[in-house]
């Protein structure tokens, strides 16, 4: 049983995983079992080139962000399990969590974060009831979102990134993943609002 399972290793998923990982010393997050299904093949980052993202050097490639994000997660927060070479096929609702089925395995989690992008090929069984036309893209692009309120689809089930209904900009997608991470940390902290900040030593 995972405490949190993130689906998708793009901008939103990686950002969510990094912030959950960074809470490792908080008492309410300490012994949580967290994983990310690190599928990156169809990330929009694969072909992106960034000149307009704060903190990125001009001409940073999305491909390098994907690789670097994965390495950052494993070197700083190795307790976050990275599940490679698997693609999610179905999400089933349980009384106390979710069953996430991939092409290879089945996982049970209390909290699931769906961050698989807004392409209209989302064919993850079990989520059909929440699929609607994306509210912030041109109709002809045929993008989707999962209907949600502040990223929450239903108890324990979150959506992050473009699939949450946001426009496709890196900072927005990463921010959405970060937002979901702090919501999960707040949940684990009995509703007490939570963030994770590292500080320069003086
Ligand atoms: C060509 C191009 C150029 C761009 N240039 C800019 C720019 O200059 N500035 C800017 O701000 N933004 C730019 N963007 C937008 C930016 O890349 C996106 O906004 C961002 O990647 C969206 O993040 P996301 O997490 O929602 O989706 P993604 O980054 O697409 O991540 C979704 C992840 O889910 C995974 N996935 C999909 N299906 C499954 C499944 N069934 N199971 C498990 N995992 C799955 C995918 O492999 C992927 O890793 C550009 C995008 C493109 C395509």
């Amino acid at each position: 049983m995972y405490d949190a399972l993130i689906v998708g290793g793009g901008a939103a998923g990686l950002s969510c995983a990094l912030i959950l990982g960074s809470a490792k010393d908080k008492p309410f997050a300490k012994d949580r079992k967290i994983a990310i299904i690190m599928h990156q093949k169809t990330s929009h980052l694969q072909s992106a080139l960034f000149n307009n993202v704060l903190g990125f050097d001009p001409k940073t490639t999305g491909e390098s962000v994907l690789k670097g994000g994965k390495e950052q997660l494993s070197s700083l927060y190795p307790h976050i399990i990275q599940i490679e070479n698997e693609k999610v096929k179905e999400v089933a609702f349980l009384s106390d969590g979710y069953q996430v089925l991939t092409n290879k395995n089945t996982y049970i989690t209390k909290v699931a974060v769906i961050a698989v992008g807004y392409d209209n090929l989302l064919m993850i069984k079990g989520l059909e009831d929440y699929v609607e036309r994306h509210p912030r893209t041109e109709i002809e692009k045929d993008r989707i979102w999962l209907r949600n309120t502040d990223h929450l689809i239903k108890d324990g089930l979150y959506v992050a990134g473009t699939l949450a209904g946001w426009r496709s900009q890196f900072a927005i997608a990463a921010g959405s993943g970060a937002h979901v991470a702090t919501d999960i940390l707040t949940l684990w902290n009995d509703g007490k609002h939570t963030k994770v900040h590292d500080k320069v030593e003086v």
Side-chain angles (χ1 to χ4, degrees), residues 10-12 39-40 42-44 49 52 88 115-116 162 168-170 173:
H39 188 281
Q40 294 192 319
T42 57
S43 172
H44 280 216
L49 180 69
N52 60 3
V88 170
V116 300
T162 47
S168 177
Q169 292 288 163
F170 180 87

Side-chain angles (χ1 to χ4, degrees), residues 135-150:
R136 295 188 181 91
T137 53
E138 310 95 298
I139 290 185
E140 57 277 16
K141 293 266 183 179
D142 199 22
R143 306 295 195 193
I144 55 163
W145 75 318
L146 295 182
R147 191 178 59 251
N148 68 88
T149 304
D150 289 341

Side-chain angles (χ1 to χ4, degrees), residues 8 35 38 51 64 81 90 130 145 150 170 176 182 189-190:
M38 194 59 89
N51 292 306
S64 71
I81 298 158
E90 185 175 345
Y130 304 100
W145 75 318
D150 289 341
F170 180 87
S176 166
T182 56
N189 195 21
D190 288 331

